[in-house]
Amino acid sequence: MNTIPHWINGSPATGETTQAVFNPATGQEQARVVLGGGAEVDAAVQAAAKAFETWSESSLSQRTQVMFTFRQLLVEHEEELGRIISAEHGKTVDDARGEIVRGREVVEFACGLGDVLKGSFSDQVSRGVDVHDFRQPLGVVAGITPFNFPAMVPLWMHPIAIATGNTFILKPSERDPSAANFVAALYQKAGLPDGVFNVVHGGKDAVDAILTHPGIEAVSFVGSTPIAKYVHEQATSHGKRVQALGGAKNHAVVLPDADLEFAANHITAGAYGSAGERCMAVSVAVAVGEAADALVGILERKANEVKVGPGDQPGTEMGPLVTKAAQERVENAVGVAQTQGATVVVDGRGLKVEGHEDGFFTGPSLLDHVTTGMEAYKEELFGPVLAIVRVDSLDEAIDLVNANPYGNGTALFTGSGEAARRFQRRIKVGMIGINVPVPVPMSYYSFGGWKDSLIGDHPIHGPEGIRFYTRPKVVTTRWPQPAQQVAAGFTFPTSS
């Protein structure tokens, strides 16, 4: 049985406590991951703090060269890393490769930090006085990341943190931990000094140690809203900066003038891709007016066409859920929706995949006539369940989305520029797609929602990522001529 260790100061580190890592397609234990706590976090902090002394003083060229090499290694090992992710998460290999590519885009953004980090200069703000500014790294920073994107979400954090001169400690999900160690080995191969990137595996003990350790300056988190609130409260109370991205309930609004076949095709992929285990999944389709019946009919056909199977099997479009508990939770939610009055148009419960009968599979489920009072609408199910809510107008749809406590992503399918403009201006959501179902921004923009989807004020990657992992300095200088006498005043200084 393979044991997955920590990665501290450039070397594997073992421990006595371990936890099973399953293959979701077979339901069988395939490895054990070492679980750490305060001692392991402290060891990682000590290594990272020591490495920061030299890494923070390295040249920008040196840091970006490491990123260029690391980026190339991600390209060369994309297939291998994709299969590691698929085996532990359950998503298809193609889907895993997709998350690697989207994470790699942030590495590419980090490769170009020379332009982004340029400060400003103001000449002669007062007689003989100039002002300029620049940004410096914080120190040791940490990331706590979820199971659903074991490569991409950490890649949204550590390349920017490291390229700006910080050192990093990653606490990945213990459900699919191998990707983190694989990335650590690629960093080492790329020439990153030992201690700059560290991995500590574990559960709540490791999380709490990160949130309270005095040697950690900032914490980035992606996960559920309740835990995001906990992370934000604990870490800020211990003097840390916090990025805390929470849950979501993403709506796709479909107007009667939309191309319904196009809309249904993309909503199906947005709802059932990665088995719905992503914070940008489309979990609610809001059918407006006369679009409803036709849209439901097309969605039913497409849901029944989704090919469910092991993630490493060619042709599979949707793999299993990550754990048995997740499978049971999602299937129970479909049953609760039915008892509360929803129409189960497509029932994914009880699906068995030949040769993988013990896998954590459930099929796509499609629920019609869902109301905002039902659990299937209120809860983030994090599974392949698409709820249809019917409304009479675009304005009613906007009000419905705005009333939801989450504000991560939303989409509008329409052929009307006026409707699109009205929607994107009035909607209270951070990321918006127009005829795009999963509007994840490119790496040179920042990712983050509104309301309960973002706790605090710090979105992730892009310009906000640079600001999060650095702090500014503003320098005011005067270089008087040796013979020049500059009078000092006791009143508050002004420019003149």
Side-chain angles (χ1 to χ4, degrees):
M1 182 68 64
N2 179 42
T3 299
I4 302 163
H6 310 294
W7 182 274
I8 298 174
N9 203 28
S11 301
T14 59
E16 296 181 359
T17 304
T18 63
Q19 177 177 304
V21 177
F22 290 89
N23 183 328
T26 65
Q28 302 302 309
E29 180 180 338
Q30 62 178 334
R32 307 286 299 183
V33 60
V34 175
L35 300 182
E40 290 75 14
V41 169
D42 186 63
V45 171
Q46 299 308 317
K50 181 65 176 176
F52 179 74
E53 294 175 8
T54 53
W55 183 246
S56 62
E57 294 297 324
S58 63
S59 70
L60 183 58
S61 295
Q62 178 186 349
R63 300 198 299 268
T64 54
Q65 183 57 55
V66 169
M67 286 298 152
F68 274 110
T69 308
F70 175 59
R71 184 260 177 204
Q72 183 59 33
L73 290 171
L74 284 173
V75 172
E76 294 171 2
H77 294 276
E78 182 181 297
E79 178 72 17
E80 184 180 0
L81 180 54
R83 291 191 176 277
I84 289 171
I85 293 168
S86 177
E88 292 184 350
H89 175 278
K91 67 175 64 178
T92 68
V93 175
D94 283 346
D95 192 22
R97 286 199 295 257
E99 75 159 278
I100 296 166
V101 170
R102 292 308 303 266
R104 194 174 71 221
E105 290 169 357
V106 178
V107 182
E108 293 164 358
F109 176 74
C111 289
L113 286 191
D115 183 66
V116 180
L117 285 177
K118 287 191 301 187
S120 60
F121 184 91
S122 296
D123 174 70
Q124 197 76 352
V125 298
S126 187
R127 284 194 297 272
V129 177
D130 307 321
V131 177
H132 71 276
D133 68 349
F134 61 98
R135 305 189 73 88
Q136 289 186 308
L138 304 178
V140 179
V141 299
I144 302 168
T145 57
F147 76 87
N148 57 329
F149 288 102
M152 184 184 74
V153 170
L155 282 166
W156 285 359
M157 301 173 183
H158 53 72
I160 295 177
I162 291 170
T164 52
N166 300 278
T167 53
F168 198 91
I169 299 169
L170 173 63
K171 206 301 288 182
S173 171
E174 60 274 26
R175 298 177 188 176
D176 44 10
S178 293
N181 287 36
F182 191 88
V183 166
L186 293 187
Y187 263 134
Q188 189 174 64
K189 190 174 181 180
L192 190 70
D194 292 345
V196 176
F197 181 76
N198 306 273
V199 180
V200 175
H201 300 290
K204 190 175 185 299
D205 287 346
V207 170
D208 285 341
I210 289 171
L211 301 182
T212 59
H213 198 292
I216 295 176
E217 300 292 332
V219 177
S220 300
F221 172 84
V222 176
S224 69
T225 293
I227 305 302
K229 291 180 177 179
Y230 174 81
V231 166
H232 187 269
E233 178 182 352
Q234 290 296 312
T236 55
S237 70
H238 285 82
K240 307 182 193 310
R241 287 189 182 184
V242 182
Q243 280 176 328
L245 280 67
K249 198 69 178 179
N250 304 314
H251 301 68
V253 178
V254 182
L255 297 186
D257 69 350
D259 181 331
L260 297 185
E261 187 76 20
F262 174 90
N265 194 45
H266 286 274
I267 290 171
T268 299
Y272 305 129
S274 199
E277 293 175 317
R278 50 191 182 192
C279 68
M280 290 296 283
V282 177
S283 55
V284 181
V286 184
V288 179
E290 62 187 26
D293 288 341
L295 178 65
V296 171
I298 302 172
L299 288 171
E300 178 182 7
R301 168 168 55 85
K302 292 186 179 295
N304 282 316
E305 292 172 350
V306 175
K307 298 178 178 63
V308 182
D312 61 354
Q313 181 174 301
T316 294
E317 295 173 317
M318 189 182 97
L321 292 168
V322 68
T323 62
K324 182 69 174 177
Q327 177 196 35
E328 293 173 348
R329 174 178 51 77
V330 168
E331 295 197 348
N332 180 65
V334 175
V336 170
Q338 190 171 28
T339 63
Q340 291 182 335
T343 302
V344 181
V345 179
V346 178
D347 193 341
R349 294 173 292 179
L351 176 69
K352 294 297 181 183
V353 175
E354 185 177 355
H356 294 77
E357 287 78 9
D358 293 329
F360 309 139
F361 291 96
T362 188
S365 290
L366 179 63
L367 310 176
D368 194 8
H369 301 106
V370 173
T371 66
T372 57
M374 295 180 182
E375 295 303 310
Y377 177 80
K378 293 189 294 184
E379 298 296 325
E380 183 184 24
L381 301 182
F382 228 61
V385 180
L386 176 61
I388 309 294
V389 178
R390 298 176 179 233
V391 298
D392 294 328
S393 68
L394 174 58
D395 288 337
E396 185 180 349
I398 292 172
D399 291 341
L400 182 144
V401 175
N402 287 346
N404 193 278
Y406 295 110
N408 208 44
T410 190
L412 175 69
F413 288 87
T414 182
S416 167
E418 183 281 324
R421 189 172 190 277
R422 183 172 13 140
F423 182 81
Q424 66 194 34
R425 287 182 60 80
R426 284 191 53 200
I427 209 74
K428 297 177 182 177
V429 174
M431 293 172 285
I432 302 163
I434 304 299
N435 297 316
V436 175
V438 184
V440 178
M442 296 298 291
S443 62
Y444 37 84
Y445 287 85
S446 296
F447 179 103
W450 287 14
K451 299 183 285 188
D452 280 353
S453 295
L454 178 66
I455 312 304
D457 302 316
H458 296 286
I460 203 167
H461 72 59
E464 294 290 343
I466 300 295
R467 285 189 281 271
F468 181 75
Y469 290 121
T470 60
R471 55 169 60 98
K473 281 183 176 177
V474 181
V475 182
T476 304
T477 60
R478 172 190 284 136
W479 297 101
Q481 297 176 13
Q484 180 184 12
Q485 294 296 319
V486 179
F490 287 86
T491 59
F492 194 82
T494 60
S495 60
S496 60

